[in-house]
Amino acid sequence: MTQPIAPEMQAFRNGMSRLGAAVNLVTTDGPAGQHGITVSAVCSVTDTPPTLLVCINRNAFAHDAFVTNGILCVNVLADGHQDLSRSFARWTGEDRFSGAQWDRLATGAPVLKDAAVAFDCRIADSQPKGTHSVLFCEVLATRLSDQPGGLIWFNRAFHPLEARA
């Protein structure tokens, strides 16, 4: 039986649903195998050296593979990637990578060919915080697509973003 969520925790979760965030597929490959998950907790830390912060739940099926492989790619999704995002958000045992086309850059992590932008990274540090690992990821390669749009998660739903002149 699951424990009920405390009212203050539910209020926090409801509030966080109003904090719009880019939708990302974070992928890895290496000794622990090829894995990927949908992540919204990604942000820039610094540009010297280029570094991202990526938060992954330590109970996620792929968490240990990211840590063991020591590399990842943050694939920022565009409008039209909702189904792909849903596929990577759950673990059902199927080959989720077969639903898209992939490349490799500097680290060898899978890079989504039509991602709005891909940040290919080496995990430089990992810090536990609550239920998550906070990964500090040094960006070794960046690839921008010619798709200027994006996809955000806001109020528990997908919302496309389009570039305006």
Side-chain angles (χ1 to χ4, degrees):
M1 186 166 152
T2 59
Q3 294 288 326
I5 298 174
E8 58 278 358
M9 184 182 289
Q10 189 60 52
F12 175 76
R13 289 180 178 183
N14 290 341
M16 290 304 297
S17 77
R18 305 282 176 91
L19 180 63
V23 181
N24 310 281
L25 292 185
V26 180
T27 58
T28 189
D29 201 356
Q34 178 174 274
H35 294 279
I37 58 175
T38 301
V39 173
S40 61
V42 173
C43 70
S44 171
V45 175
T46 181
D47 65 355
T48 310
T51 304
L52 297 177
L53 178 149
V54 178
C55 297
I56 299 178
N57 190 310
R58 289 196 307 274
N59 292 321
F61 66 92
H63 173 274
D64 292 348
F66 283 97
V67 173
T68 298
N69 290 343
I71 61 164
L72 60 78
C73 184
V74 174
N75 297 280
V76 181
L77 300 186
D79 188 22
H81 287 137
Q82 291 92 335
D83 288 342
L84 190 61
S85 173
R86 284 186 196 97
S87 172
F88 277 80
R90 63 186 185 285
W91 173 247
T92 59
E94 83 279 6
D95 177 12
R96 295 164 302 156
F97 285 91
S98 65
Q101 294 183 331
W102 303 89
D103 277 334
R104 308 284 172 149
L105 294 175
T107 69
V111 177
L112 182 63
K113 279 191 177 186
D114 62 346
V117 62
F119 298 100
D120 194 28
C121 305
R122 174 186 69 80
I123 300 172
D125 191 18
S126 176
Q127 297 293 320
K129 183 66 177 174
T131 57
H132 286 63
S133 287
V134 181
L135 308 177
F136 292 89
C137 306
E138 184 179 343
V139 179
L140 303 180
T142 302
R143 187 175 75 194
L144 292 165
S145 85
D146 47 358
Q147 292 186 25
L151 184 65
I152 65 165
W153 183 251
F154 174 77
N155 204 24
R156 298 183 174 97
F158 292 110
H159 299 274
L161 293 177
E162 57 185 61
R164 295 188 181 181

